[in-house]
């Protein structure tokens, strides 16, 4: 998600015309090869789009054997949850609403980019929201559920994640490295010529930061500054003696793309000098597969527990009527993540739509 400087009115429910547009394009793409989503060893290929009209997807495979899925609903008014035994099963899994926006006050508008994490035996959802009366004063908020089953129990509002400034902030993700829990997020820094930069901090508990907050990356390359100067939607995967942090850049249309930061696993994560930024995007729109604006990704694993899977959203067309934030046809997509001989990730291109329904 990106901030619009002209502060448009909150989006209405997606129109039938936009939804039909997405469906029509999906049918036209069935003949495009989707070999990049094929599974090794003859396993069932991944079906795409995995979940329609769900942007900013987050999928985690839990120890109970289920995949848990949450994402931004295009009405920006609720937090949803699905689960299934397989990735493809998420397509048809029953969807539950675990929380709805407030009618007034805090957490009353722009419910964006939820992520669900298991921390200390409890479930936590990190998401972005704004007051109903000031819809662009977006901040990071946290829900907690102590029940082992996140579809049951009570989701308690733990409040706002307080950062160094009261400025536009969103897209929080959390991870642990060598016993330390971190939060990475996007935020506008006062007096900086950008929309958002990427930040990192250690955590005192699942809703409280501690110690310094360091800037990892700010938009500087041309491909990060198309439409808006944006670094957002961070996600971390640790492999081959390094941590790789992906992020998304530019406006949320066909220019949306992914960048990459890398740090050695033995390095101090809280020293910005230890992070290396790739000068070119690692995942971009493809006219060949007809997928546009891929980004806001996360990582999971296939059922074998070893094969890495890239999760992201993309549209099936370039042309968007009006503000891209009002277009509901960003669909959740998945594909196998390859690795280069030097141990770095090979993202390839966003895969084409799958012909038929593979479940």
């Amino acid at each position: 998600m990106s901030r619009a400087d002209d502060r448009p009115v909150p989006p209405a429910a997606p129109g039938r015309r936009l939804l039909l547009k997405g469906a029509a394009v999906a049918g036209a793409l069935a003949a495009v090869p989707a070999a990049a989503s094929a599974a090794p060893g003859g396993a069932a290929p991944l079906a795409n789009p995995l979940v329609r009209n769900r942007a900013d997807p987050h999928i985690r495979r839990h120890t109970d054997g289920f995949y848990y899925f949450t994402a931004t609903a295009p009405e920006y008014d609720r937090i949803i949850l699905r689960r299934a035994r397989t990735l493809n099963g998420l397509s048809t899994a029953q969807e539950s609403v675990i929380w709805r926006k407030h009618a007034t006050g805090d957490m009353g508008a722009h419910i964006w980019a939820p992520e669900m994490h298991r921390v200390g035996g409890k479930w936590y959802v990190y998401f972005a929201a704004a007051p109903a009366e000031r819809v662009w004063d977006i901040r990071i908020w946290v829900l907690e559920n102590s029940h082992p089953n996140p579809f049951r129990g009570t989701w308690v509002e733990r409040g706002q994640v307080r950062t160094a400034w009261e400025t536009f902030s969103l897209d929080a993700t959390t991870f642990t490295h060598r016993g330390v829990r971190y939060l990475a997020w996007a935020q506008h820094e006062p007096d900086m010529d950008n929309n958002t930069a990427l930040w990192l901090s250690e955590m005192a508990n699942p809703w409280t930061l501690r110690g310094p907050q360091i800037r990892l990356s700010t938009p500087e390359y041309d491909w990060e500054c198309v439409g808006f100067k944006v670094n957002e939607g961070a996600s971390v995967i640790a492999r081959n003696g390094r941590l790789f942090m992906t992020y998304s850049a530019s406006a949320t249309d066909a220019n949306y793309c992914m960048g990459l930061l890398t740090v050695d696993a033995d390095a101090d994560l809280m020293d910005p000098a230890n992070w290396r930024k790739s000068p070119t995007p690692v995942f971009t729109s493809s006219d060949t597969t007809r997928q546009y604006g891929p980004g806001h990704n996360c990582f999971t694993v296939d059922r074998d527990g070893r094969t890495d899977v890239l999760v992201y959203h993309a549209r099936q067309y370039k042309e968007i009527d009006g503000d891209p934030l009002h277009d509901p046809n960003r669909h959740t997509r998945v594909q196998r993540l390859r690795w280069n001989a030097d141990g770095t990730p090979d993202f390839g291109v966003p895969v084409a739509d799958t012909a038929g329904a593979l479940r």
Side-chain angles (χ1 to χ4, degrees):
M1 298 297 186
S2 300
R3 183 181 65 172
D5 288 338
D6 57 355
R7 300 185 176 230
V9 297
R16 181 173 180 271
R17 180 174 61 83
L18 280 173
L19 292 171
L20 289 175
K21 179 179 181 181
V25 174
L29 294 175
V32 180
S37 64
L46 297 174
N48 277 300
L50 184 70
V51 183
R52 293 186 177 277
N53 307 114
R54 295 291 180 264
D56 313 322
H58 189 260
I59 298 175
R60 60 167 294 120
R61 188 168 186 251
H62 189 44
T63 54
D64 61 4
F66 281 101
Y67 288 95
Y68 289 88
F69 168 86
T70 188
T72 300
E75 298 81 9
Y76 304 153
D77 64 351
R78 64 195 185 277
I79 295 175
I80 57 90
L81 188 63
R82 300 184 185 197
R83 73 175 177 182
R85 291 287 183 183
T86 66
L87 283 167
N88 284 343
L90 291 171
S91 293
T92 54
Q94 181 178 354
E95 187 168 280
S96 296
V97 177
I98 62 172
W99 183 88
R100 292 187 183 275
K101 71 175 184 178
H102 294 185
T104 61
D106 289 337
M107 295 178 281
H110 283 155
I111 310 305
W112 284 352
E115 289 196 7
M116 190 174 76
H117 295 266
R118 186 76 168 167
V119 181
K122 297 181 180 180
W123 295 103
Y124 291 90
V125 171
Y126 297 82
F127 65 102
E133 301 79 13
R134 302 184 308 279
V135 299
W136 293 104
D137 289 352
I138 293 173
R139 305 291 186 268
I140 300 164
W141 299 83
V142 184
L143 306 177
E144 177 191 79
N145 189 341
S146 59
H147 199 285
N149 183 345
F151 291 90
R152 302 176 62 186
T154 302
W155 285 96
V156 178
E157 296 172 358
R158 281 299 184 188
Q160 181 183 337
V161 176
R162 298 290 177 178
T163 62
W165 312 285
E166 279 293 321
T167 59
F168 185 90
S169 50
L170 71 170
D171 292 355
T173 191
T174 184
F175 65 97
T176 58
H177 182 60
R178 301 193 171 171
V180 178
R181 179 160 294 279
Y182 297 87
L183 191 81
W185 73 98
Q187 185 165 11
H188 174 67
E189 181 179 1
D191 301 322
M192 285 288 288
D193 181 26
N194 64 26
N195 293 90
T196 53
L198 293 180
W199 297 85
L200 185 71
S201 175
E202 294 184 11
M203 304 192 78
N205 62 42
W207 59 91
T208 307
L209 306 181
R210 74 175 177 198
Q213 301 171 32
I214 64 164
R215 187 197 320 122
L216 294 181
S217 174
T218 189
E220 55 188 307
Y221 297 113
D222 290 346
W223 55 270
E224 298 177 293
C225 302
V226 182
F228 296 104
K229 297 180 179 180
V230 168
N231 285 177
E232 64 183 15
S235 188
V236 174
I237 186 170
R239 296 287 185 273
N240 308 318
R242 283 162 283 188
L243 275 70
F244 301 97
M245 180 182 289
T246 51
Y247 64 93
S248 297
S250 289
T252 55
D253 53 19
N255 294 295
Y256 208 51
C257 60
M258 282 167 44
L260 184 67
L261 303 173
T262 305
V263 64
D264 291 338
D266 293 331
D268 177 7
L269 302 193
M270 293 301 295
D271 182 350
N274 290 331
W275 292 81
R276 301 180 300 280
K277 182 175 183 176
S278 298
T280 57
V282 295
F283 201 54
T284 62
S285 294
S286 172
D287 287 323
T288 301
T289 61
R290 305 178 197 175
Q291 302 299 326
Y292 301 99
H296 204 118
N297 79 289
C298 72
F299 301 97
T300 189
V301 292
D302 211 338
R303 294 182 70 186
D304 61 9
R306 300 185 305 273
T307 303
D308 294 310
V309 176
L310 175 67
V311 183
Y312 60 98
H313 71 232
R315 288 189 181 88
Q316 298 158 315
Y317 50 85
K318 286 183 180 180
E319 299 77 16
I320 299 172
D321 298 324
D323 191 324
L325 289 179
H326 297 185
D327 181 294
N329 290 315
R330 290 183 295 176
H331 304 319
T332 295
R333 311 186 66 80
V334 289
Q335 64 192 67
R336 266 77 186 189
L337 179 66
R338 316 295 184 184
W339 293 91
N340 297 309
D342 65 358
T344 59
D346 176 6
F347 294 91
V349 300
V351 296
D353 285 354
T354 305
L358 300 174
R359 297 290 179 262

